[in-house]
Amino acid sequence: MSYTMNVLEKVKKQNPNEPEFLQAVTETLVSLKPYVDSRPEYEKAGILERLCEPERVILFRVPWVDDSGKVHVNKGYRVQFNSAIGPYKGGLRFHPSVSLSIIKFLGFEQVLKNSLTGLPIGGGKGGSDFDPKGKSDREVMAFCQSFMTELYRHIGEDTDVPAGDIGVGEREIGILYGQYKRIVNSFSSVLTGKGLSYGGSLVRCEATGYGLVYLLDEMLRQHGNSIEDKTVVISGSGNVAIYAAEKVRQLGGKPVALSDSNGFVYDPEGIDISIVKEIKEKNRCRISEYTKYRKHAVYTEGRGIWSIKCDIALPCATQNELTEEDAKELVKNGCFAVCEGANMPSTPEAIHVFLQNKILYVPGKASNAGGVAVSALEMSQNAMRLAWPLEKADQKLKEIMTNIYNNIANTAKEVGQEDNFVVGANIAGFKKVADAMLRQGIV
Ligand code: NDP
């Protein structure tokens, strides 16, 4: 058996109860196989074994008291995956589905994603099975303060810099930051996604969604096409989905659908972003509310968003939300491009359908890297004690996403797999991390 497949078998044996983690590792190692197996220096230095094992896993108890005085205990996680090219960097996810497997898959993907940004950031991820939905502001504060009371000792501006993810937006980052500062008595860049009044960067809030569409735009341009007049279906209705939809609109495309975990809304005239912001960001309500504002829009309970006819699909909700059947439906309906805003939203079978049908498919580790890229820019601005104007931050984001596209497209071409951006992203992300690991000895 080849070196790569040997490592994969070992990882499967060692982590039998972590399906999402094994899914992410399998997808990556299978596509790295020809590249890695033809370079014996990687095997000699045990690069893959080390790449697949986090440097550190921190598990902790998060006790907090609800509004009725009842004590709750949630699980807290921080997985510090790989620091070969910079301090650990990656978001915190608060969602009831969070498990060690999910945090490890996200951390593993983050290592390669952060490498693709071209910035000096390693990979990590964290979170909790706490569900902020339906909690009062005081309960969210109680939870976040308790979470940080343990996390603070493991992070630092040169060690590990968390940010937001599902269930962790500006409100949560603000409270986490306040508690960190209170404990350590230091105003440092220990979290990103901060509010603009206390060290946040312009465009961070929009960065993942905007970055996704910048990369899509560049890919279409290089294929003699554009976003203009294209119908776009976007899943989710959180941070990534909202700003992806906004940028699609700005570039002349028409986003026609958004969703949440309850159902999806279809607006054939094009989603009105200001209404979505009001429903989701201001009122923290469900996407079904949209039809109260736009009478001709249709809300459907349950799955099914991928059956809407579109030219471009942008999955921006969560892992494994787009199945083989969904992929076949998209292809049948004429969809020609899929760029992932979420992490690992397409199942392996769905990816197979996209590649077989020559869909322009870009995996999340490349296409959703805009968020972490602007987070790294936030760290730079904090270190310099200055704040860039909007144009500069936005321009940087655009440059980074264009570079990522060129990097993954050129890498795919170099290995004879033109337009296979799965292979391109995995090899391009891996090369830089592996090279740093080779030079740093066996650590
Ligand atoms: P938010 O919490 O802002 O929004 C998440 C959205 O996805 C909500 O609409 C939510 O619906 C929906 N969703 C979550 N879980 C499920 C589920 N099991 N089934 C169906 N819908 C679901 O998160 P973000 O927008 O920040 O994150 C979305 C995705 O993008 C995630 O995969 C995240 O890892 C990825 N990402 C985020 C980055 C960022 O900067 N924020 C950076 C890079 C990637 P509901 O409200 O019903 O739960």
Side-chain angles (χ1 to χ4, degrees):
M1 206 190 288
S2 73
Y3 167 55
T4 308
M5 289 304 108
N6 253 325
V7 174
L8 182 56
E9 285 312 307
K10 194 168 161 220
V11 174
K12 284 181 180 169
K13 275 204 192 101
Q14 285 181 325
N15 305 277
N17 303 314
E18 298 179 0
E20 294 86 1
F21 175 58
L22 292 181
Q23 183 182 335
V25 171
T26 304
E27 182 263 314
T28 301
L29 294 200
V30 167
S31 74
L32 283 177
K33 184 175 176 296
Y35 182 81
V36 169
D37 287 340
S38 60
R39 290 165 178 77
E41 65 272 25
Y42 291 139
E43 179 171 5
K44 190 158 173 253
I47 291 292
L48 289 185
E49 293 89 325
R50 290 191 280 141
L51 191 75
C52 295
E53 191 63 39
E55 289 176 17
R56 196 171 297 107
V57 174
I58 300 150
L59 297 174
F60 52 100
R61 175 174 77 199
V62 190
W64 59 281
V65 181
D66 72 16
D67 288 346
S68 70
K70 189 173 176 328
V71 176
H72 297 263
V73 176
N74 284 99
K75 288 181 183 292
Y77 302 87
R78 187 72 186 166
V79 174
Q80 298 180 330
F81 224 107
N82 191 303
S83 61
I85 61 171
Y88 312 106
K89 180 96 199 81
L92 298 170
R93 175 177 292 192
F94 293 168
H95 192 273
S97 65
V98 162
S99 63
L100 184 58
S101 171
I102 287 189
I103 298 299
K104 278 177 67 181
F105 114 66
L106 290 164
F108 179 77
E109 294 266 303
Q110 194 83 44
V111 175
L112 301 178
K113 178 190 315 195
N114 292 3
S115 163
L116 286 173
T117 65
L119 299 166
I121 38 178
K125 199 83 188 187
S128 172
D129 58 357
F130 172 76
D131 186 0
K133 248 184 256 150
K135 304 289 189 303
S136 69
D137 285 346
R138 196 212 60 81
E139 287 173 332
V140 169
M141 180 161 78
F143 174 81
C144 288
Q145 289 181 338
S146 180
F147 186 86
M148 185 52 87
T149 301
E150 173 59 35
L151 186 69
Y152 88 92
R153 71 190 82 239
H154 308 291
I155 61 177
E157 62 184 328
D158 295 319
T159 309
D160 184 356
V161 184
D165 190 78
I166 291 179
V168 180
E170 203 187 313
R171 172 181 64 170
E172 290 76 17
I173 291 290
I175 299 163
L176 291 164
Y177 190 67
Q179 183 72 353
Y180 178 86
K181 193 162 57 57
R182 184 184 186 197
I183 297 171
V184 304
N185 193 25
S186 158
F187 196 102
S188 65
S189 189
V190 74
L191 291 172
T192 57
K194 300 186 290 294
L196 293 178
S197 57
Y198 62 95
S201 173
L202 282 162
V203 190
R204 174 61 189 92
C205 168
E206 298 86 351
T208 308
Y210 277 20
L212 171 71
V213 181
Y214 287 146
L215 185 139
L216 167 71
D217 188 43
E218 182 63 23
M219 175 175 74
L220 294 186
R221 204 183 57 74
Q222 293 197 24
H223 286 80
N225 210 332
S226 81
I227 294 176
E228 212 171 328
D229 297 329
K230 301 295 182 303
T231 300
V232 185
V233 166
I234 304 173
S235 63
S237 49
N239 174 267
V240 180
I242 289 175
Y243 292 97
E246 184 166 278
K247 188 51 76 181
V248 165
R249 270 275 196 208
Q250 288 172 8
L251 297 183
K254 186 160 76 160
V256 292
L258 288 175
S259 65
D260 60 23
S261 51
N262 294 105
F264 63 95
V265 68
Y266 173 54
D267 183 344
E269 290 177 14
I271 294 282
D272 185 325
I273 315 295
S274 60
I275 295 175
V276 180
K277 284 185 181 172
E278 166 125 356
I279 297 170
K280 301 298 288 189
E281 293 185 335
K282 199 162 149 228
N283 303 337
R284 295 182 185 275
C285 288
R286 312 305 298 157
I287 197 65
S288 55
E289 297 274 305
Y290 186 84
T291 54
K292 289 188 184 154
Y293 297 77
R294 300 266 279 180
K295 298 291 177 206
H296 62 275
V298 180
Y299 174 72
T300 308
E301 193 79 16
R303 293 188 86 253
I305 188 169
W306 306 118
S307 63
I308 298 171
K309 191 171 161 45
C310 64
D311 303 305
I312 296 165
L314 304 177
C316 295
T318 193
Q319 64 276 352
N320 293 326
E321 54 160 310
L322 199 162
T323 64
E324 181 178 15
E325 288 67 40
D326 297 327
K328 286 181 178 160
E329 185 92 357
L330 283 167
V331 172
K332 194 181 85 196
N333 286 336
C335 171
F336 66 87
V338 178
C339 285
E340 296 181 338
N343 286 305
M344 208 168 75
S346 309
T347 63
E349 297 78 21
I351 296 172
H352 185 70
V353 172
F354 293 145
L355 297 180
Q356 288 276 304
N357 287 279
K358 303 265 179 267
I359 302 297
L360 293 172
Y361 163 74
V362 186
K365 62 170 75 83
S367 50
N368 72 30
V372 75
V374 176
S375 274
L377 302 180
E378 182 175 330
M379 289 162 70
S380 306
Q381 293 169 70
N382 292 164
M384 293 185 286
R385 297 275 188 263
L386 51 79
W388 292 346
L390 180 73
E391 299 69 35
K392 180 164 178 179
D394 194 38
Q395 188 52 37
K396 280 268 180 206
L397 171 63
K398 212 179 283 180
E399 274 169 32
I400 289 169
M401 298 314 294
T402 304
N403 289 342
I404 292 176
Y405 177 73
N406 286 327
N407 190 6
I408 65 173
N410 292 337
T411 306
K413 212 186 252 174
E414 274 162 31
V415 297
Q417 301 223 39
E418 192 164 355
D419 284 351
N420 185 333
F421 305 120
V422 176
V423 167
N426 284 328
I427 295 179
F430 168 79
K431 258 180 6 191
K432 187 173 161 193
V433 178
D435 183 56
M437 289 172 77
L438 282 175
R439 285 153 198 257
Q440 290 173 19
I442 308 299
V443 290

